[in-house]
Amino acid sequence: MPVRRPPPDPERRTGRHALTAGTEWFFVPDPVVTTTVPGKNELPTVLQSDHNTYLAGALPLCVILADEAMRPWFYSQYIQLYAMGSDSQQKAPHLDFHSSLTCREVLHTRTLDRAAAGRIGRIVAFLRSCIDSGRHVIVFVDDSFLRGEPRPFVHELLVHGYDDRSEQLRVVGFGGAIGRPGSQRFQTLEFGYRAFEEAFERALSLTAPNSDFAAIRYPVQLLQRVRTRPAFDPGRLWTELSSYLEAPELDIFRAGTEYWWWSPPKPEAQPPDFTVSSGFEVHDRFIRHLKAVEAGDHLIDYRQFHLLWEHKTAVLRRLEHLAREFDLQGGLDDVISGCRRRAQEFLDLRLKVLMALNGRSTPQAMAQGVSLVTRTLHEEPEALSRVRDVVAGLR
């Protein structure tokens, strides 16, 4: 049975467009008009492969980079890293791009907490209304239920289209369930209305207080691209390079809950050795972790290796953009060559770790990782200092 098309938005105000979730009102600026076919609509979305380690920062990029004119904004940043955690917790530190916290510069976002999400009612009708008004929606669902996996797992998907005739939603997500082939590659997936409704309801139950997924406090996020298209900013890239080279103290806890789908970790609730690192200190910290894995004291986390490969590739892409756009006449050729080699070496390490997780030699992969990251600590600071000097002349 087709899902009933929702009524028009109940209220229009000058410069505002209202979406309802139960008794709550969520106001965002009027969208750019989208072309729709009755009973079917799809928003521009790209299966970007620049960054997909953590969906909280990666899925918004699928919205932003669907407009190629946003690439210059993207190339002005995504160099600084941060890591947080505690060695005593016997697991890998959380490692990510600091720029993952800046997507709201070029996106209007609204997050719905679990209580507000529970008042939405029929999630498919809500999603159709959002899409028709030009808004992508990130939704947490029981991913395992949608994929026919037995063990519940709450994960986010980016909803960008619907088709009433086939009663299916079009979403961006990983191509396979976690731990299965395709689990680190984005694909466009289609799920039936009824299955998605149930997967969403299951996720709300699984994220109840004191449950296994209780950390997920904001299960719905609305995204809309801003109309401006920032140009490439050498000054911002210079600041990003300086931050990475100088490793300042980062207060990521001030980012605010709208940046996070979970509660921002509170320093006072962490172990005494909990710290936040940035820049090259992240590499020092990662070496300690690899040695702990090699000694059997820490658990391995593949995502860290994937993220570092993404980072080295990101640095390479930005230098290639500089050389291409500013006619540097070969002044950075040797630096770019070194970055290309490091990106390939981190790719090789990532693949070796994947094989180690499938039963091959973990100690050998960890030893190779220690060697590669140690060499990076010796090579990269000098190379990127040269790049910073070049960028300083472009500001």
Side-chain angles (χ1 to χ4, degrees), residues 124-146:
V124 169
F126 177 79
L127 294 172
R128 292 164 74 257
S129 178
C130 291
I131 292 167
D132 284 346
S133 60
R135 298 168 179 89
H136 292 73
V137 188
I138 294 176
V139 185
F140 277 86
V141 296
D142 182 350
D143 189 88
S144 294
F145 173 77
L146 288 175

Side-chain angles (χ1 to χ4, degrees), residues 192-262:
Y193 286 175
R194 291 183 180 179
F196 200 91
E197 294 270 7
E198 184 168 350
F200 177 68
E201 293 298 327
R202 285 171 175 259
L204 290 180
S205 297
L206 290 166
T207 55
N210 301 317
S211 68
D212 290 344
F213 300 97
I216 301 172
R217 297 184 58 205
Y218 301 88
V220 177
Q221 184 177 44
L222 282 64
L223 309 175
Q224 182 192 342
R225 291 188 303 177
V226 300
R227 301 183 188 187
T228 59
R229 292 176 172 86
F232 179 74
D233 185 354
R236 181 163 191 170
L237 182 60
W238 183 90
T239 300
E240 187 82 359
L241 284 164
S242 297
S243 179
Y244 180 61
L245 288 165
E246 297 166 10
E249 183 176 347
L250 300 176
D251 189 359
I252 62 171
F253 304 106
R254 296 181 63 184
T257 56
E258 288 195 3
Y259 284 106
W260 306 77
W261 49 256
W262 67 93

